[in-house]
């Protein structure tokens, strides 16, 4: 019987690590109302903490990519998971809104950064030759899997007990993943005498200046990227991607539903229902990115996402559960489907060695957009007592993103 390649074990442990980090970020929506009620904090202040977290973990991406090259995969994953554990532990003692901003916005945001930015392309690039797009799709979809399984559970725990019990569950899962990382993660296939999956010969990897300052590595990557028009188009489209996903839906969808009388558990269940289709859509997107023009994939992803966001306010106004279900399916299929084609285009333009750091900068733009939507959505609600304008504007921006990606020049794939 043929032995399963170790790359798949690395992918599985990474998959579940990203689930835990991802649920920390995507759970912000179910924590917003309980925190507002218990501490009497202004909603826009709570949204600011979530916005800082989204921005910080995004802007940390290129530096995480450089640190991965210098420190290695295992130490980076252990350090990041430890930071998450510390941040979640501190939430049990916070009593002031500024503490939420530091803990959730700073510590948890920094801890989530590695897992939710450059870890997927790094693992795919170093552990896979064949099925690389599929590997990226599976790892990217893992954030949806956590959302699918855990958001309704967290909502039920919050409704029947408190938000602290829900946070305790995430803390327990983080501790379990720390142990799994310590036991199974290896830096690269050559460390255990293997080649990446799908490669027949041992690869003698060139030493990529292992002692170089990771900060200078990150900025050198940016300096090269800003000279390329495609970088700005991808960064601009990814800004809108972040604005229309984790920043808006991830932070405000549950509260938007609650404002129309939808119960917390139902709203969280709708979000997790999106996770079912997100898992399918993103995995399929990874498969498609190995086979079709990535620019056209992105064009249709953004256009369809924009249409679904324009449908949502109408569905809630009409009180139509059927329309909400249709929205959840269409939006879910598209939520993170943009990531595999964006990674693929970045790798084609800049080569495999540089693509992780440069994708880190593109993802930083994604999280800047997410931060704008997380805080901006809170401000729009504060002034209009409704989120409708926030979702309407996000839908229009998605149409703009579809134009950005289609004018990227078609690339001939690079390997190095």
């Amino acid at each position: 019987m043929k032995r399963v390649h170790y790359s798949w074990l690395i992918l599985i442990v990474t998959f579940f690590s990203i689930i835990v980090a991802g649920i920390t970020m995507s759970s912000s929506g179910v924590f917003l109302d309980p925190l507002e009620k218990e501490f009497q904090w202004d909603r826009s202040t709570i949204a600011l903490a979530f916005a800082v977290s989204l921005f910080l973990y995004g802007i940390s991406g290129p530096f995480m990519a450089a640190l991965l090259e210098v420190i290695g995969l295992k130490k980076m994953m252990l350090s990041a998971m430890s930071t998450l554990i510390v941040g979640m532990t501190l939430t049990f003692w916070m009593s002031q809104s500024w503490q939420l901003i530091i803990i959730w916005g700073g510590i948890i945001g920094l801890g989530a950064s590695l897992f939710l930015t450059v870890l997927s392309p790094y693992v795919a690039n170093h552990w896979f030759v064949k099925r690389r797009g599929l590997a990226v799709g599976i790892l990217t979809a893992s954030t949806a899997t956590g959302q699918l399984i855990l958001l309704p559970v967290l909502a039920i725990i919050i409704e029947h007990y408190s938000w602290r019990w829900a946070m305790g569950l995430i803390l327990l899962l983080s501790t379990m993943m720390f142990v799994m990382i310590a036991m199974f993660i290896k830096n690269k296939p050559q460390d255990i005498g293997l080649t990446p999956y799908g490669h027949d010969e041992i690869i003698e990897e060139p030493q990529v200046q292992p002692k170089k300052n990771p900060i200078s590595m990150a900025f050198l990557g940016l300096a090269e990227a800003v000279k390329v028009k495609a970088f700005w188009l991808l960064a601009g489209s990814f800004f809108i991607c972040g604005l229309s996903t984790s920043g808006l839906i991830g932070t405000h969808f549950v509260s938007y539903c609650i404002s129309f009388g939808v119960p917390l558990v139902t709203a969280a269940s709708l979000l997790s229902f999106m996770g079912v289709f997100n898992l399918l859509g993103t995995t399929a997107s990874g498969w498609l990115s190995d086979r079709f023009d990535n620019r056209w994939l992105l064009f249709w992803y953004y256009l369809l996402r924009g249409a679904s966001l324009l449908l949502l306010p109408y569905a809630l106004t009409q009180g139509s559960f059927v329309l909400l279900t249709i929205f959840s399916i269409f939006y879910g299929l598209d939520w993170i489907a943009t990531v595999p084609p964006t990674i693929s285009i970045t790798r084609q333009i800049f080569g495999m060695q540089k693509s992780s750091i440069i994708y880190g900068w593109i993802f930083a733009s994604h999280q800047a957009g997410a931060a704008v939507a997380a805080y901006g959505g809170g401000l729009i609600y504060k002034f209009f007592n409704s989120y409708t304008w926030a979702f309407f504007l996000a839908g229009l921006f998605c149409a703009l993103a579809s134009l950005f990606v289609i004018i990227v020049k078609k690339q001939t794939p690079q390997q190095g």
Side-chain angles (χ1 to χ4, degrees), residues 131-138 280-292 294 297 301 337 340-341:
R131 307 288 186 267
R132 187 176 284 156
L134 178 62
V136 170
I138 291 170
L280 296 172
T282 307
T283 304
S285 179
W287 183 85
L288 290 168
S289 71
D290 284 331
R291 290 162 173 79
F292 296 100
N294 289 273
L297 291 177
Y301 293 164

Side-chain angles (χ1 to χ4, degrees), residues 323-341:
L323 286 178
L324 276 176
T325 304
I326 293 171
F327 164 78
S328 299
I329 293 170
F330 268 86
Y331 186 90
L333 285 168
D334 203 343
W335 188 324
I336 317 180
T338 53
V339 174

Side-chain angles (χ1 to χ4, degrees), residues 56-79:
L56 181 62
Y57 97 64
I59 200 66
S60 301
F63 303 100
M64 294 293 172
L67 282 167
L68 276 167
E69 299 291 348
V70 175
I71 296 175
L73 181 63
K74 184 169 186 172
K75 286 183 180 178
M76 282 297 295
M77 289 181 71
L78 288 172
S79 299

Side-chain angles (χ1 to χ4, degrees), residues 374-403:
Y375 184 55
L379 284 180
I380 287 173
Y381 184 87
K382 182 177 181 179
F383 287 112
F384 296 100
N385 201 35
S386 170
Y387 286 114
T388 298
W389 268 107
F391 285 86
F392 181 74
L393 289 171
L396 295 180
F397 275 118
C398 285
L400 181 62
S402 70
L403 298 178

